[in-house]
Amino acid sequence: MSAVSDRLPTFPWDKLEPYKATAAAHPGGIVDLSVGTPVDPVPELIQKALVAAADSPGYPTVWGTPELRDALTGWVERRLGARDVTHRHVLPIVGSKELVAWLPTQLGLGPGDKVAYPRLAYPTYEVGARLARADYVAYDDPTELDPTDLKLLWLNSPSNPTGRVLSAAELTRIVAWAREHGILVFSDECYIELGWEAEPVSVLHPDVCGGSYEGIVSVHSLSKRSNLAGYRAAFLAGDPAVLGELLEIRKHGGMMTSAPTQAAVVAALGDDTHVREQRERYAARRAALRDALVRHGFRIEHSEASLYLWATRDESCWSTVAHLADLGVLVAPGDFYGEAGATFVRVALTASDERVAAAVERLTS
């Protein structure tokens, strides 16, 4: 047991506990903008679909029901602009974090193989490489990496934590380079529905991939766009050869999305109205928090998409965390996402309107 846990870094969120206690002691209560966990209700039509499927005594299938696969392929074509997507091009997963953490292992990577991810990135990309005992490397531009032994390239657009969006031209260049060197690309696109000052594009768009899905897979989640973080609902789309192998492995591992959740995903992907309504909520919170942070002396960088503001006062991120905790506002230190974030904090938009208003008042008073 210890041999596995010893491969992992210290769980970063544990370091935030003293600052959380400080923020919680504020007379007006804590405003927790640290973790991007949804707080708004699950849309009613999704709840109804879940309840209607509650009497599901049998085992679900790893590949999902035909209705689920229809919903996945339909959404990928309608929303991402992909073409000729079949059931072989999609695969449901048990939340995207599970996939990120275990993908290198499921791909058979190990010592001597390299996994690459952005220099500022979701920590689980590194964790996945560590669990597989693979080597890992962070990049600014992946095409400047040494391709030798590089087996898995993670892209993340829109980015967590920075909100940066890779343009279609950048994605096209990277995909072409990866294919030239036989490198598998997984593109984490979980925030693709949340573009504000830029329109995110998928690696599956024909302008990027040239109409071929060879060597590319995109990762999508319903956690943020449909408030389904508690349902563990996500999926992959892309190269059928890669997904076919993962399907066989995941069958043996019993990595099944529950039957009620599968039914809920069908309902969620078939309705765009609730997504627009949730976007409007986040847009209003984003505008209020951004203005308050700037007035408080912060500079916002990138943040053109996703559920976060990437903010700095050009000081240690932990000094900023402490300063805001004294105001009862908890944020995530930028160095959780890599050394390049040492002077930034990540401010989540996932708090209620009342709590966001409280944060704005404290930042501007």
Side-chain angles (χ1 to χ4, degrees):
M1 291 289 290
S2 63
V4 177
S5 61
D6 286 349
R7 298 179 211 161
L8 303 178
T10 301
F11 189 64
W13 295 96
D14 292 344
K15 302 176 186 177
L16 206 55
E17 286 302 313
Y19 302 92
K20 185 174 184 179
T22 298
H26 190 278
I30 188 173
V31 180
D32 193 343
L33 306 178
S34 63
V35 181
T37 186
V39 298
D40 299 304
V42 173
E44 187 176 357
L45 84 161
I46 301 175
Q47 293 190 48
K48 287 182 176 179
L50 185 85
V51 170
D55 186 14
S56 297
Y59 290 111
T61 64
V62 173
W63 202 15
T65 62
E67 292 79 12
L68 174 60
R69 282 177 263 142
D70 283 343
L72 298 181
T73 57
W75 185 87
V76 167
E77 292 193 337
R78 184 180 81 252
R79 179 61 185 83
L80 304 184
R83 299 172 183 165
D84 302 320
V85 180
T86 72
H87 285 194
R88 293 176 58 248
H89 292 91
V90 294
L91 178 64
I93 54 177
V94 192
S96 58
K97 184 171 185 176
E98 167 263 303
L99 183 280
V100 174
W102 294 106
L103 179 64
T105 298
Q106 291 177 16
L107 292 174
L109 304 187
D113 297 322
K114 287 191 297 188
V115 176
Y117 49 81
R119 192 165 305 283
L120 282 165
Y122 184 46
T124 312
Y125 302 134
E126 178 184 328
V127 167
R130 286 175 176 253
L131 285 170
R133 293 195 178 95
D135 299 327
Y136 48 90
V137 59
Y139 65 78
D140 294 308
D141 179 346
T143 66
E144 295 176 356
L145 292 170
D146 179 357
T148 306
D149 298 322
L150 180 55
K151 300 298 176 62
L152 173 61
L153 172 62
W154 278 107
L155 303 180
N156 181 208
S157 175
S159 163
N160 175 15
T162 70
R164 181 188 174 198
V165 172
L166 296 175
S167 68
E170 289 176 292
L171 289 171
T172 302
R173 176 177 60 84
I174 293 167
V175 167
W177 176 84
R179 283 174 168 168
E180 178 186 350
H181 295 287
I183 300 165
L184 178 60
V185 174
F186 264 68
S187 180
D188 183 343
E189 301 174 356
C190 290
Y191 297 92
I192 202 165
E193 299 266 28
L194 296 165
W196 310 115
E197 294 154 3
E199 186 61 38
V201 63
S202 172
V203 291
L204 303 184
H205 194 283
D207 289 350
V208 173
C209 68
S212 167
Y213 304 120
E214 181 183 359
I216 57 172
V217 176
S218 63
V219 183
H220 296 276
S221 169
L222 284 81
S223 293
K224 309 304 194 293
R225 50 96 70 191
S226 297
N227 299 333
L228 295 188
Y231 284 44
R232 310 315 302 137
F235 65 94
L236 306 177
D239 190 334
V242 176
L243 298 189
E245 287 292 313
L246 290 177
L247 175 59
E248 291 305 311
I249 293 165
R250 296 170 70 84
K251 283 179 180 178
H252 284 287
M255 304 178 95
M256 301 171 279
T257 304
S258 75
T261 295
Q262 291 188 31
V265 171
V266 173
L269 293 182
D271 176 71
D272 293 331
T273 300
H274 77 276
V275 180
R276 288 193 298 269
E277 292 173 350
Q278 189 61 44
R279 274 181 54 89
E280 291 170 3
R281 294 186 190 103
Y282 284 137
R285 293 166 187 166
R286 178 180 182 272
L289 284 169
R290 185 181 187 120
D291 178 66
L293 287 165
V294 170
R295 290 169 63 186
H296 197 75
F298 282 88
R299 185 176 73 256
I300 309 297
E301 291 195 0
H302 292 300
S303 307
E304 59 261 30
S306 84
L307 282 183
Y308 312 105
L309 294 168
W310 189 236
T312 182
R313 299 204 306 173
D314 296 310
E315 64 182 5
S316 163
C317 61
W318 289 100
S319 296
T320 304
V321 168
H323 168 72
L324 292 175
D326 287 339
L327 299 177
V329 178
L330 188 68
V331 298
D335 66 3
F336 276 11
Y337 308 94
E339 293 180 2
T343 60
F344 286 81
V345 292
R346 194 194 73 170
V347 183
L349 310 179
T350 49
S352 68
D353 292 341
E354 183 274 330
R355 287 289 82 190
V356 168
V360 169
E361 181 181 2
R362 296 172 196 180
L363 288 166
T364 55
S365 61

